Amino acid sequence: MYFCECKDDTALPKTMLHTAITLATIDDVEQIMKLRSNIEEFPQTGQSEKILRQSLEANTGRTYYIEKKGEIISSASTSAENSLSAMVVGVCTHSNYRVKGYASLILQKMIQDFIKEGRTLCLFYNNPAAGWIYKRLGFKDIGMWTMYR
């Protein structure tokens, strides 16, 4: 897996599309889990919902999302937030809404928020298409990792 980080917002477009991006609360967890359960690449464990709830309650993570017709269609989260950085996790878009830029919009908002806070975002990826999106937004590869299950 590639490990990358984003330290500034210089690669972001100067204008963003006007799509409402919402910061999730505990009340949104069920809908976020519903979206994630439809994502083939996201194996769900019995602990997934509990972990998301705990990160929101403890302020060690946050989730941003876009909603259409009362349903969450795209989201991205952070985990392991600390005073210097946060790990981006759970970037996903419902298959009916892919290739429309929703995940990119969420990541742009996330990058802007964290840069304002003086923090770095980092993430792991192994999907070249996702890597292209991350690099376009200013993430830079800084290493390779192997994960064992």
Side-chain angles (χ1 to χ4, degrees), residues 4-140:
C4 62
E5 68 181 357
C6 183
K7 291 185 167 191
D8 60 53
D9 61 359
T10 56
L12 297 183
K14 299 305 171 210
T15 57
M16 281 180 53
L17 297 174
H18 296 290
T19 299
I21 298 169
T22 305
L23 197 55
T25 67
I26 295 296
D27 295 335
D28 301 311
V29 169
E30 196 173 305
Q31 269 205 71
I32 292 162
M33 295 311 298
K34 180 180 174 190
L35 168 65
R36 289 181 181 179
S37 72
N38 288 313
I39 307 298
E40 184 179 318
E41 301 85 0
F42 283 22
Q44 298 296 309
T45 70
Q47 298 295 309
S48 298
E49 184 173 339
K50 179 182 176 186
I51 291 167
L52 179 58
R53 281 185 191 283
Q54 286 176 336
S55 73
L56 292 174
E57 289 170 345
N59 290 319
T60 58
R62 59 184 97 171
T63 298
Y64 296 78
Y65 67 84
I66 294 174
E67 190 174 29
K68 297 282 182 197
K69 300 176 186 171
E71 206 171 312
I72 294 177
I73 56 120
S74 188
S75 74
S77 300
T78 61
S79 68
E81 284 195 30
N82 59 63
S83 61
L84 300 175
S85 65
M87 179 72 66
V88 177
V89 297
V91 179
C92 62
T93 300
H94 190 283
S95 59
N96 293 344
Y97 294 92
R98 290 188 180 166
V99 195
K100 298 183 186 317
Y102 293 124
S104 292
L105 287 172
I106 291 171
L107 287 168
Q108 287 175 46
K109 171 71 171 142
M110 190 181 280
I111 291 166
Q112 289 172 334
D113 287 356
F114 277 81
I115 296 305
K116 282 180 197 168
E117 296 170 12
R119 298 199 273 169
T120 300
L121 285 173
C122 54
L123 58 83
F124 289 102
Y125 74 91
N126 60 0
N127 173 338
W132 180 83
I133 292 168
Y134 301 137
K135 288 176 184 179
R136 188 173 48 82
L137 295 173
F139 283 87
K140 292 180 177 38

